[in-house]
Amino acid sequence: MNETAPQVPLHFRRQGDIAVLIIDNPPVNALSQALRKAISETMALTDADPSIKAVILIGSGSTFIAGADIREFNLKLPAPAGRAAYDSVDASKKLTVAAIHGNALGGGLETALCCHYRVALRSARVGLPEVLLGLLPGAGGTQRLPRIVGAAEGLELITSGAHIDAPKAATLGIIDEIVPGEDFDALLQGALAFTRQALAQGKPLRQVRATLSKLAGTDPALFQEFRNKNARKWTGLIAPQKIVDCIEMAATRSWDEGYAFELARFLECKESPQRAALSHVFFAEREAAKIPGLGREIKPLPVASVAIIGAGTMGGGIAMAFANKGIPVKQLEMSAEALQRGRGIMQKNYDTSVSRGSLSKDKADAALARITGTLDYQDLAQADLVIEAVFEDMAVKQEVFRKLDAVMKPGAILATNTSYLDIDQIAAVTQRPESVLGLHFFSPANVMKLLEVVRGARSAPQTLATGMSLAKRLGKIAVLAGNCDGFIGNRILANYAREAEFLLEEGATPWQVDEALKGFGLPMGIFLMRDMAGLDIGWRVRQRKEATRPKHLRHTTLPDRICEMGRFGQKTGAGYYQYQGREASPDPAIEQLIIEYSAKAGITRKPVSNEEIVRRILTAMVYEGAKILEEGIASRASDIDVTYVYGYGFPRYRGGPMFWAEQQGLAQVRDWVLEYHRVHGDHWKPVRLLDEAAAAGSWKAVERSR
Ligand code: T1G
């Protein structure tokens, strides 16, 4: 059998009587249709060649197979053919060894589980993360993995989608041997040695599907207990339940029944809107990292040390985010008491993480030790990046930036954590506006994944590239936003919150609106969220903006009425809800206030359905999203989705507001906007970009033409 031409994503090499199949489909050796076809054909050839005694499957470059090619899920491909490659490996008459480095995920691990043996480098990671894409392992993963690790471990691993490291996988029996070394060559040598020894020892052709060892004696009650334990966490999700059903089949039925059952459940997931939404989010978050027009030649500046102005909630969270990643932080405050208070809060947060087991005491202590305090701006001068996280007041922020401009070394990045103030006004007080940008973290900053990187009019490309690359280092997801009031996230929030207020005037109650939004999948409704944040913040903003508020547009003073009663939310025991401690309950006094307010405003209240509430709120998000796209504040509609999924609790399995709109049909959404414009006025003035997208049927079509 001779060497194959490079065009197919699979290379064949001979090492004596061992065939080495090198999978070569960059960037992550995804199992595309072409690769699956090549594997099936090559396995048939190795089976037929008597001179071949064993087969090694190995990935080229830095990884094994990272799964099926997710892009293909939108294609109509024949189902069974999808498994042929796996079945060909499983049915091999020659001893097969999977040699794993980098990632063996999803279909990648399933391919390895079809081999008789698996070896790996210590740095390798394996897992079945399909559930994160609204799918389940469709090539035998729900049947084979539990046979190796047992039902309980199988349930945890496959419903969480966790990636586990090779040493743990070896402990669980997934990996047979960890081979020494760090790269492809070391792995190949290790795999060849393992295979030759296996041949010499006459090791059996150990098919995972033929071994029921770890499933035997599984307690039948395990599955229902597992469903009950996770019911709340899985609210709204389809795939996790089906995974449990598949593993239960593996433990209670024959291989053929379980394998067929899995395929049927896989196809149900594949056709579900959740799968489409979750695949959209997968690619959207990777797309968001790329700034259109900013070439790879623009290298981020090194950030080895960081300074933070402010030790309040945001300053403390941001300091922890950097310290947790090994980056030393200098924190400045106005007084030693304020510094001490901030440190106390960080200590408490670390203690909570340690007590929850999400962080070791050593790691927590090491991180906190990386954060040092100062009262002197001079101590910050040598930091590569300084982030201002002080009170949201323009004059206060400008004063801070004047001081920073005076002390920071040339080339340092000056960032503001403002959540809505004008970046250009802040940059204008410095001699280096090109080094100024917004880095808008979300509270708690050491937890929330979203980072809005805000471009000022004079922010240099390298400054922006540095901001974007920071996110990856911090384990966050960056979205580039233009400079406007509230950037992407808060601007959309302000727009849909206004419509939520109007819905109260028209007939809904705060708790009905919140219940409807929770029913849609948001973790919390807008009014409960506002009560938690404190109603006085919004009140101050409204008072500041009253002078410039466009008077021709519909306006409500209902939220002001509530604040004038001293009801600022949870912290005052009453807001839109009344509170027993943190426990919120509907308040008849608020309902009465709203009824009287509507009457005085001459608004006839009518029953509003939860469906109408969700449509109005979501359409308000999309409407503002379309304006944001039109103004270039966001580069892509999918960036808005990433912002809402990672910063505002929008349910991932719904893909984000702009994706939701495409699922509804953009022409339909445009018609809803026209209807709201007819009824509610110019807050809904038609947006040209939405009209164009409705005509084109997708956001991408109009993004491309911009
Ligand atoms: N299919 C297609 N493209 C993929 C891909 C995949 N499975 N995985 C990654 N990419 C692209 C990605 O979009 C990016 O492209 C580039 O590769 C680098 O990725 C039958 C049904 C492997 C841990 O869920 O978790 O198998 O932006 O930026 O940070 O049961 O990618 O450069 O154009 O993420 O180093 C199951 C998904 C599939 C794993 C690497 N597998 N991938 O992370 O790089 S379903 C997964 C990842 C399945 C079977 C079922 C990560 C990674 P671009 P990256 P990274």
Side-chain angles (χ1 to χ4, degrees), residues 173-360:
I174 300 170
I175 300 290
D176 296 291
E177 187 172 303
I178 304 270
V179 299
E182 284 306 319
D183 59 19
F184 174 91
D185 296 337
L187 175 64
L188 182 55
Q189 292 319 311
L192 284 166
F194 177 92
T195 309
R196 291 196 181 102
Q197 194 184 37
L199 288 173
Q201 295 168 348
K203 275 199 175 207
L205 302 190
R206 186 191 61 176
Q207 275 186 321
V208 174
R209 69 180 166 91
T211 58
L212 260 183
S213 56
K214 280 279 182 73
L215 282 175
T218 298
D219 173 4
L222 170 73
F223 302 101
Q224 195 50 45
E225 282 161 15
F226 194 78
R227 289 185 185 95
N228 300 345
K229 190 179 87 180
N230 292 287
R232 196 177 142 83
K233 191 168 77 180
W234 292 343
T235 306
L237 297 174
I238 295 171
Q241 307 284 4
K242 292 182 190 290
I243 289 169
V244 179
D245 301 345
C246 289
I247 299 175
E248 188 168 24
M249 286 294 280
T252 57
R253 301 296 178 82
S254 70
W255 165 262
D256 291 341
E257 287 172 292
Y259 196 44
F261 182 88
E262 178 195 81
L263 181 60
R265 303 294 81 73
F266 171 78
L267 294 173
E268 288 161 3
C269 288
K270 182 170 170 283
E271 299 315 320
S272 79
Q274 290 195 1
R275 193 279 308 159
L278 289 161
S279 299
H280 165 74
V281 174
F282 177 87
F283 288 115
E285 63 186 74
R286 283 156 180 79
E287 212 51 33
K290 304 163 191 158
I291 301 181
L294 206 75
R296 287 170 186 272
E297 74 286 356
I298 309 280
K299 296 284 177 247
L301 291 166
V303 175
S305 59
V306 172
I308 296 174
I309 315 297
T313 309
M314 288 311 294
I318 298 170
M320 291 172 71
F322 282 94
N324 293 352
K325 297 298 178 182
I327 302 169
V329 176
K330 269 238 172 59
Q331 204 171 28
L332 179 135
E333 258 295 356
M334 310 297 280
S335 68
E337 296 68 40
L339 266 182
Q340 203 40 49
R341 202 171 37 250
R343 198 166 190 83
I345 294 168
M346 291 190 286
Q347 180 69 66
K348 208 157 133 271
N349 290 340
Y350 277 122
D351 293 347
T352 308
S353 303
V354 172
S355 63
R356 284 202 191 123
S358 58
L359 196 63
S360 72

Side-chain angles (χ1 to χ4, degrees), residues 26-31 36 63 65-73 82-83 86 103-110 125 127-133 135-141 163 262 266 270 282-283 285-287 290 296 472:
V28 293
N29 290 331
L31 270 166
R36 292 199 305 272
T63 187
I65 300 167
D69 189 330
I70 303 169
R71 294 178 198 284
E72 288 186 352
F73 290 136
R83 281 175 158 182
Y86 305 96
N103 295 293
L105 301 172
L109 179 56
E110 289 176 299
R125 297 178 70 76
L128 295 175
E130 285 86 344
V131 69
L132 306 176
L133 293 165
L135 283 166
L136 54 84
H163 301 186
E262 178 195 81
F266 171 78
K270 182 170 170 283
F282 177 87
F283 288 115
E285 63 186 74
R286 283 156 180 79
E287 212 51 33
K290 304 163 191 158
R296 287 170 186 272
K472 198 149 191 174

